[in-house]
Amino acid sequence: MRVGDIRRNDRIRRDQERRRGVARRVVAVLVAIAVFLVAGAAAYSSNLFAIEDVSVEGVEHLTSEEMSRLAAIPADTTLLRVDTGKIEANILRDAWIKKAKVSRGFPNTLVISATERPIAATVEVLSEDGSTSELWAIADDGTWLCRIPDQDSAEGRAMSPAIYDDAAHALAITDVAYGLRPEVGSTCTDASVNNALAIVSGMTTELKDQVKQISASSSDNATLTLDSNVEIAFGAAEDIRDKERVCLQILKDNEGSVAYINVRVASSPTWRSV
């Protein structure tokens, strides 16, 4: 046998061994995948990773009972079978929830992370017969959050105390015209309320933190009341920065003696002393 034939036979043998090695590795991988799929299917169908705990993050204005009803997690589900997208959609139905994310915390915890809409203001709403009024919480994006009943009532005791704490420190919008009918989760369409919200959200100076109440009798006739009880006829949510600047200058130049400022027209302000 020639030397060339011997070398050729060696190459053929090595190629055959290499192909057999590749084939064995492919078979091993396929077997491993099959075992994984069978084990995964068994785990998916079993009660392995059953949800034993639900962790809720970022929620203050909804009680644990309310969150449980919202999430509506099936009793027999597991972390492998749970539909996180459906639970997120369930939670987002509530007006308080702006964003929601549901994740798995193995081995047995479902994690619900939420971002709430804060209370931007409370709005005094007249009843249908005009004889009484009720208080409503509204977010800065105009979403009606809830009616705020008397805290000592049965309905009030069932609500989160955070609602009352935040409402007590929120801007108060009053004197809204008769006919406003808020609905939880809907967006406010009342021009006078939206004008009041736009004024406060558009403020950029320290004057914003001093505003405790806005009388919103119409969309262009908002009157601000400061913590110092100074009244400011602000008008419409226009030229807000100019109006702020004028008010701050008048208050600075006449510290402690201002009772009323009119900046409906920022270029022609007037003021009255105590």
mmCIF file of all heavy atoms in Angstrom, residues 73-95:
data_model
loop_
_atom_site.group_PDB
_atom_site.id
_atom_site.type_symbol
_atom_site.label_atom_id
_atom_site.label_comp_id
_atom_site.label_asym_id
_atom_site.label_seq_id
_atom_site.Cartn_x
_atom_site.Cartn_y
_atom_site.Cartn_z
ATOM 1 N N ILE A 73 -56.756 37.079 41.492
ATOM 2 C CA ILE A 73 -55.822 35.980 41.202
ATOM 3 C C ILE A 73 -56.539 34.660 41.426
ATOM 4 O O ILE A 73 -57.046 34.402 42.523
ATOM 5 C CB ILE A 73 -54.585 36.070 42.118
ATOM 6 C CG1 ILE A 73 -53.906 37.436 41.953
ATOM 7 C CG2 ILE A 73 -53.602 34.952 41.818
ATOM 8 C CD1 ILE A 73 -52.832 37.714 42.971
ATOM 9 N N PRO A 74 -56.605 33.778 40.424
ATOM 10 C CA PRO A 74 -57.277 32.488 40.596
ATOM 11 C C PRO A 74 -56.663 31.689 41.742
ATOM 12 O O PRO A 74 -55.446 31.672 41.923
ATOM 13 C CB PRO A 74 -57.038 31.784 39.248
ATOM 14 C CG PRO A 74 -56.812 32.900 38.279
ATOM 15 C CD PRO A 74 -56.089 33.963 39.056
ATOM 16 N N ALA A 75 -57.510 31.031 42.515
ATOM 17 C CA ALA A 75 -57.040 30.330 43.713
ATOM 18 C C ALA A 75 -56.103 29.179 43.395
ATOM 19 O O ALA A 75 -55.223 28.849 44.186
ATOM 20 C CB ALA A 75 -58.246 29.830 44.509
ATOM 21 N N ASP A 76 -56.281 28.516 42.253
ATOM 22 C CA ASP A 76 -55.499 27.317 41.949
ATOM 23 C C ASP A 76 -54.316 27.581 41.022
ATOM 24 O O ASP A 76 -53.705 26.655 40.508
ATOM 25 C CB ASP A 76 -56.396 26.258 41.311
ATOM 26 C CG ASP A 76 -56.999 26.749 39.989
ATOM 27 O OD1 ASP A 76 -56.951 27.977 39.746
ATOM 28 O OD2 ASP A 76 -57.512 25.919 39.221
ATOM 29 N N THR A 77 -53.961 28.858 40.808
ATOM 30 C CA THR A 77 -52.893 29.147 39.856
ATOM 31 C C THR A 77 -51.524 29.064 40.534
ATOM 32 O O THR A 77 -51.407 29.050 41.766
ATOM 33 C CB THR A 77 -53.080 30.535 39.222
ATOM 34 O OG1 THR A 77 -52.221 30.659 38.097
ATOM 35 C CG2 THR A 77 -52.716 31.639 40.221
ATOM 36 N N THR A 78 -50.474 28.991 39.708
ATOM 37 C CA THR A 78 -49.100 28.958 40.194
ATOM 38 C C THR A 78 -48.304 30.048 39.482
ATOM 39 O O THR A 78 -48.805 30.690 38.553
ATOM 40 C CB THR A 78 -48.444 27.601 39.905
ATOM 41 O OG1 THR A 78 -48.249 27.450 38.490
ATOM 42 C CG2 THR A 78 -49.310 26.452 40.425
ATOM 43 N N LEU A 79 -47.059 30.234 39.896
ATOM 44 C CA LEU A 79 -46.226 31.237 39.232
ATOM 45 C C LEU A 79 -45.989 30.886 37.772
ATOM 46 O O LEU A 79 -45.755 31.775 36.951
ATOM 47 C CB LEU A 79 -44.879 31.362 39.957
ATOM 48 C CG LEU A 79 -44.903 31.998 41.351
ATOM 49 C CD1 LEU A 79 -43.500 32.085 41.918
ATOM 50 C CD2 LEU A 79 -45.540 33.378 41.322
ATOM 51 N N LEU A 80 -46.052 29.590 37.432
ATOM 52 C CA LEU A 80 -45.839 29.189 36.046
ATOM 53 C C LEU A 80 -47.079 29.402 35.194
ATOM 54 O O LEU A 80 -46.976 29.718 34.010
ATOM 55 C CB LEU A 80 -45.415 27.709 35.983
ATOM 56 C CG LEU A 80 -44.107 27.346 36.685
ATOM 57 C CD1 LEU A 80 -43.822 25.857 36.534
ATOM 58 C CD2 LEU A 80 -42.946 28.158 36.105
ATOM 59 N N ARG A 81 -48.247 29.245 35.800
ATOM 60 C CA ARG A 81 -49.475 29.348 35.019
ATOM 61 C C ARG A 81 -50.134 30.722 35.086
ATOM 62 O O ARG A 81 -51.015 31.026 34.295
ATOM 63 C CB ARG A 81 -50.489 28.298 35.502
ATOM 64 C CG ARG A 81 -50.082 26.862 35.286
ATOM 65 C CD ARG A 81 -51.285 25.931 35.385
ATOM 66 N NE ARG A 81 -51.949 26.011 36.671
ATOM 67 C CZ ARG A 81 -51.663 25.234 37.712
ATOM 68 N NH1 ARG A 81 -50.691 24.340 37.615
ATOM 69 N NH2 ARG A 81 -52.325 25.357 38.847
ATOM 70 N N VAL A 82 -49.728 31.560 36.023
ATOM 71 C CA VAL A 82 -50.424 32.823 36.232
ATOM 72 C C VAL A 82 -50.308 33.729 35.007
ATOM 73 O O VAL A 82 -49.255 33.806 34.366
ATOM 74 C CB VAL A 82 -49.868 33.551 37.484
ATOM 75 C CG1 VAL A 82 -48.433 34.015 37.274
ATOM 76 C CG2 VAL A 82 -50.756 34.732 37.862
ATOM 77 N N ASP A 83 -51.406 34.391 34.674
ATOM 78 C CA ASP A 83 -51.448 35.330 33.546
ATOM 79 C C ASP A 83 -51.180 36.740 34.093
ATOM 80 O O ASP A 83 -52.091 37.435 34.542
ATOM 81 C CB ASP A 83 -52.827 35.270 32.878
ATOM 82 C CG ASP A 83 -52.904 36.092 31.599
ATOM 83 O OD1 ASP A 83 -52.035 36.962 31.402
ATOM 84 O OD2 ASP A 83 -53.844 35.869 30.810
ATOM 85 N N THR A 84 -49.908 37.148 34.055
ATOM 86 C CA THR A 84 -49.533 38.445 34.637
ATOM 87 C C THR A 84 -50.172 39.610 33.882
ATOM 88 O O THR A 84 -50.539 40.617 34.477
ATOM 89 C CB THR A 84 -48.007 38.614 34.648
ATOM 90 O OG1 THR A 84 -47.499 38.484 33.311
ATOM 91 C CG2 THR A 84 -47.350 37.558 35.534
ATOM 92 N N GLY A 85 -50.312 39.466 32.581
ATOM 93 C CA GLY A 85 -50.922 40.527 31.779
ATOM 94 C C GLY A 85 -52.362 40.770 32.167
ATOM 95 O O GLY A 85 -52.813 41.928 32.237
ATOM 96 N N LYS A 86 -53.090 39.707 32.449
ATOM 97 C CA LYS A 86 -54.496 39.849 32.828
ATOM 98 C C LYS A 86 -54.609 40.518 34.191
ATOM 99 O O LYS A 86 -55.490 41.375 34.405
ATOM 100 C CB LYS A 86 -55.179 38.484 32.866
ATOM 101 C CG LYS A 86 -56.664 38.555 33.182
ATOM 102 C CD LYS A 86 -57.325 37.186 33.105
ATOM 103 C CE LYS A 86 -58.811 37.291 33.405
ATOM 104 N NZ LYS A 86 -59.481 35.970 33.323
ATOM 105 N N ILE A 87 -53.724 40.156 35.125
ATOM 106 C CA ILE A 87 -53.760 40.762 36.456
ATOM 107 C C ILE A 87 -53.428 42.245 36.363
ATOM 108 O O ILE A 87 -54.057 43.079 37.020
ATOM 109 C CB ILE A 87 -52.796 40.036 37.407
ATOM 110 C CG1 ILE A 87 -53.277 38.601 37.627
ATOM 111 C CG2 ILE A 87 -52.683 40.773 38.731
ATOM 112 C CD1 ILE A 87 -52.339 37.757 38.456
ATOM 113 N N GLU A 88 -52.445 42.595 35.530
ATOM 114 C CA GLU A 88 -52.110 44.009 35.326
ATOM 115 C C GLU A 88 -53.314 44.777 34.790
ATOM 116 O O GLU A 88 -53.624 45.883 35.249
ATOM 117 C CB GLU A 88 -50.931 44.139 34.366
ATOM 118 C CG GLU A 88 -49.598 43.700 34.958
ATOM 119 C CD GLU A 88 -48.490 43.673 33.930
ATOM 120 O OE1 GLU A 88 -48.750 44.031 32.759
ATOM 121 O OE2 GLU A 88 -47.359 43.294 34.282
ATOM 122 N N ALA A 89 -54.009 44.174 33.819
ATOM 123 C CA ALA A 89 -55.200 44.818 33.247
ATOM 124 C C ALA A 89 -56.291 44.975 34.302
ATOM 125 O O ALA A 89 -56.983 46.003 34.347
ATOM 126 C CB ALA A 89 -55.725 43.998 32.065
ATOM 127 N N ASN A 90 -56.432 43.971 35.170
ATOM 128 C CA ASN A 90 -57.429 44.055 36.238
ATOM 129 C C ASN A 90 -57.136 45.234 37.163
ATOM 130 O O ASN A 90 -58.031 45.997 37.542
ATOM 131 C CB ASN A 90 -57.437 42.765 37.066
ATOM 132 C CG ASN A 90 -58.017 41.582 36.309
ATOM 133 O OD1 ASN A 90 -58.691 41.751 35.291
ATOM 134 N ND2 ASN A 90 -57.741 40.390 36.787
ATOM 135 N N ILE A 91 -55.873 45.383 37.531
ATOM 136 C CA ILE A 91 -55.484 46.429 38.475
ATOM 137 C C ILE A 91 -55.654 47.814 37.857
ATOM 138 O O ILE A 91 -56.077 48.766 38.523
ATOM 139 C CB ILE A 91 -54.030 46.207 38.932
ATOM 140 C CG1 ILE A 91 -53.930 44.902 39.710
ATOM 141 C CG2 ILE A 91 -53.534 47.372 39.788
ATOM 142 C CD1 ILE A 91 -52.511 44.474 40.004
ATOM 143 N N LEU A 92 -55.328 47.930 36.572
ATOM 144 C CA LEU A 92 -55.410 49.229 35.902
ATOM 145 C C LEU A 92 -56.844 49.721 35.732
ATOM 146 O O LEU A 92 -57.059 50.878 35.359
ATOM 147 C CB LEU A 92 -54.725 49.150 34.534
ATOM 148 C CG LEU A 92 -53.189 49.100 34.566
ATOM 149 C CD1 LEU A 92 -52.634 48.779 33.185
ATOM 150 C CD2 LEU A 92 -52.617 50.419 35.076
ATOM 151 N N ARG A 93 -57.813 48.886 36.025
ATOM 152 C CA ARG A 93 -59.210 49.329 35.945
ATOM 153 C C ARG A 93 -59.538 50.330 37.040
ATOM 154 O O ARG A 93 -60.497 51.094 36.925
ATOM 155 C CB ARG A 93 -60.153 48.127 36.064
ATOM 156 C CG ARG A 93 -60.153 47.181 34.880
ATOM 157 C CD ARG A 93 -61.126 46.055 35.093
ATOM 158 N NE ARG A 93 -60.876 45.349 36.340
ATOM 159 C CZ ARG A 93 -61.657 44.383 36.824
ATOM 160 N NH1 ARG A 93 -62.752 44.041 36.185
ATOM 161 N NH2 ARG A 93 -61.350 43.779 37.961
ATOM 162 N N ASP A 94 -58.759 50.327 38.117
ATOM 163 C CA ASP A 94 -59.038 51.240 39.220
ATOM 164 C C ASP A 94 -58.464 52.614 38.938
ATOM 165 O O ASP A 94 -57.346 52.747 38.439
ATOM 166 C CB ASP A 94 -58.437 50.692 40.522
ATOM 167 C CG ASP A 94 -58.981 51.430 41.736
ATOM 168 O OD1 ASP A 94 -58.425 52.494 42.067
ATOM 169 O OD2 ASP A 94 -59.970 50.944 42.324
ATOM 170 N N ALA A 95 -59.220 53.645 39.267
ATOM 171 C CA ALA A 95 -58.823 55.016 38.967
ATOM 172 C C ALA A 95 -57.520 55.424 39.656
ATOM 173 O O ALA A 95 -56.771 56.250 39.140
ATOM 174 C CB ALA A 95 -59.940 55.983 39.376
#
